[in-house]
Amino acid sequence: ELVDFFNGYLQQMNNPISVNQGFVDKFIGDAIMVLFSLPGEPNSTEAINAVKAAIGMQQQVDIFNNEHKDSWDEQLRVGIGIHSGPVIIGTVGSEERMDSTVMGDTVNLASRLEGLTKFYGSKIIISQPTFEYVEQEDSFEIREIDLVMVKGKQKPVTIYEVCNCDPDSIREQKMNSIDHFSEGLKNYRASKWKQAITKFKACVKECPSDRTAEIYINRCKIYQKTPPPKNW
């Protein structure tokens, strides 16, 4: 039963990957590691394909949940992390067991971003390099959400949330409050806690399920009592 479940799920996930010219490097339990590499095509095309595939995968999750709504109470939830950069493709292993794989810092960071989706309550998180490649794509609805120190990195990484696959009402609410969110970020980074809280509360009022705005409100309240150092 478990194998049938996974095979059905992975089959549906593979469709938007194939349509957008992605290559499945490997399945890791319930995780899928995908490479978007098109020789001769610009990096922007690869990045746009990756984001389109991620949106399509989330749409497939919704379909999968709807098809199995009578089979279990809990709905399947999936987080996707996307990062753009150089990778090494090689064959690893021993004479008894060989496997081709993709390695490098780019792979590690994409994996870290996938893990952050749980914390921010986001379905898709992309890095700054990916955002720079896709920001001119008008069909994407994206907002900056944080600067994070990812394990293994010496400099903070700017991360963005792709909102296209949120339910229509939530997506519209997030986009309607994007200016408040942006102003809240500016005030937060300038240590203007009261002003930041006001802006993020406006986001929550517009979109009660905006978990990231709630995170910032809580952070600001903590920093009001215990301010960070000046060079934070």
Side-chain angles (χ1 to χ4, degrees), residues 10-199:
L10 295 175
Q11 180 61 45
Q12 285 192 231
M13 292 296 97
N14 191 62
N15 292 335
I17 294 171
S18 299
V19 168
N20 290 285
Q21 299 177 288
F23 169 74
V24 175
D25 177 68
K26 62 168 62 70
F27 298 114
I28 312 167
D30 64 340
I32 308 172
M33 184 168 147
V34 185
L35 177 69
F36 292 83
S37 180
L38 299 172
E41 294 291 337
N43 292 331
S44 58
T45 299
E46 298 170 340
I48 289 171
N49 284 353
V51 175
K52 284 183 176 179
I55 294 169
M57 290 169 75
Q58 291 290 0
Q59 291 170 342
Q60 287 296 318
V61 171
D62 292 338
I63 294 171
F64 190 80
N65 282 329
N66 188 57
E67 290 176 347
H68 296 83
K69 61 184 178 181
D70 296 328
S71 302
W72 56 73
D73 295 329
E74 290 291 331
Q75 290 209 326
L76 194 66
R77 292 184 176 86
V78 174
I80 302 175
I82 304 175
H83 178 48
S84 301
V87 296
I88 300 169
I89 304 175
T91 303
V92 297
S94 64
E95 292 181 359
E96 291 78 19
R97 178 71 169 87
M98 303 290 288
D99 194 12
S100 296
T101 190
V102 179
M103 299 173 286
D105 185 60
T106 300
V107 179
N108 295 335
L109 182 51
S111 177
R112 303 295 183 191
L113 297 183
E114 181 274 326
L116 289 175
T117 59
K118 302 179 184 69
F119 178 76
Y120 292 97
S122 303
K123 291 188 174 183
I124 304 172
I125 288 181
I126 65 175
S127 66
Q128 177 77 35
T130 299
F131 172 74
E132 291 174 357
Y133 287 135
V134 305
E135 62 178 321
Q136 301 303 321
E137 180 64 33
D138 294 336
S139 64
F140 295 155
E141 295 179 313
I142 302 173
R143 66 173 185 173
E144 179 182 347
I145 56 173
D146 211 349
L147 271 167
V148 296
M149 283 295 289
V150 181
K151 185 178 180 181
K153 303 289 288 186
Q154 299 300 316
K155 294 183 179 180
V157 178
T158 304
I159 60 174
Y160 299 78
E161 177 184 32
V162 179
C163 302
N164 290 68
C165 46
D166 285 333
D168 287 342
S169 59
I170 294 176
R171 176 183 54 78
E172 291 173 3
Q173 290 165 357
K174 286 182 178 179
M175 290 300 100
N176 288 340
S177 61
I178 195 168
D179 289 338
H180 287 305
F181 194 92
S182 179
E183 287 297 318
L185 274 182
K186 290 179 182 178
N187 287 319
Y188 170 77
R189 291 169 181 167
S191 301
K192 298 177 181 178
W193 316 122
K194 186 176 180 180
Q195 294 94 319
I197 289 173
T198 299
K199 293 296 182 180

